[in-house]
Amino acid sequence: MTAADQARFGVFQRLWGIAVVAHIVGNWALQDIPSFSGSVNAVTGIAGLLLALQPSHRVFLLTCALGIVSVLAEMPITGNHWVVAGLVAAAALVTRAEPGPFFATARLILLVFYSFAAFAKLNDGFLDPTVSCGVHFVDQWLDGFGLGPLDRSGPLAQLAVWGPTVTELAVPVLLLSRPLRPLGVLVATFFHTS
């Protein structure tokens, strides 16, 4: 493994650890502790924290293995993002986290996921602001700031529908182009953290 590959993989491992911890903390409920799912998630979160603090090949593979168990333990109620994380974790185990094959497989998983997520929005239910979950999620976000819900017939409701649609259609295209890939990563990161 070249020094550049090692550095890139170290950054990826830290970010993977942070993502695992964010998922566990964001979906935590104290009443889950005695359950199998809660216990697995607690151990997975600890492994993710260790990985974020001190990346290593072994801790990365352990975190990935625990992540897969966590995905299975949360089924059938789990978020799409965690299913994708489970697929990437499985790719890490299958490729033994060798950077070349792992990154190629993880990239393909991400592209397929984003393409399907974008395609799934191209339906009357999502594109109609009166019933769209896009408007519902914006309303939840606004509620966190003490702001009222959007007027479902107004232009902001249209933006709540078309903004995510255009973004999710653009991300795979940007990621496929090597010169535009950094922009794709920035767009996707901003979209999912805002």
Side-chain angles (χ1 to χ4, degrees):
M1 182 183 321
T2 68
D5 282 343
Q6 232 172 358
R8 182 171 74 147
F9 201 52
V11 169
F12 180 84
Q13 288 176 359
R14 279 189 199 278
L15 292 174
W16 188 259
I18 291 168
V20 167
V21 170
H23 170 78
I24 300 301
V25 169
N27 294 283
W28 190 258
L30 286 178
Q31 66 269 22
D32 287 345
I33 291 174
S35 72
F36 177 72
S37 176
S39 301
V40 167
N41 283 344
V43 173
T44 304
I46 291 167
L49 183 61
L50 292 173
L51 184 63
L53 295 173
Q54 187 66 44
S56 83
H57 197 81
R58 286 184 182 160
V59 175
F60 176 64
L61 289 174
L62 173 66
T63 304
C64 288
L66 289 168
I68 292 169
V69 175
S70 173
V71 169
L72 295 173
E74 288 184 12
M75 288 292 188
I77 304 168
T78 190
N80 293 341
H81 69 281
W82 200 231
V83 173
V84 172
L87 292 171
V88 172
L93 295 179
V94 168
T95 63
R96 295 184 183 150
E98 291 296 322
F102 169 66
F103 283 130
T105 307
R107 194 175 298 123
L108 179 63
I109 290 167
L110 185 66
L111 286 170
V112 169
F113 166 75
Y114 249 102
S115 297
F116 276 105
F119 182 72
K121 287 184 173 43
L122 300 177
N123 66 73
D124 290 341
F126 189 83
L127 297 176
D128 178 359
T130 61
V131 295
S132 178
C133 65
V135 177
H136 171 75
F137 289 134
V138 170
D139 284 343
Q140 282 185 323
W141 184 76
L142 289 172
D143 189 49
F145 296 103
L147 301 172
L150 292 177
D151 171 13
R152 288 191 174 247
S153 63
L156 290 178
Q158 287 290 333
L159 183 62
V161 167
W162 285 101
T165 303
V166 170
T167 301
E168 287 192 4
L169 286 168
V171 167
V173 174
L174 294 171
L175 292 176
L176 281 170
S177 167
R178 185 173 290 279
L180 297 176
R181 192 169 293 149
L183 177 61
V185 170
L186 286 174
V187 168
T189 301
F190 178 75
F191 177 70
H192 289 291
T193 57
S194 60

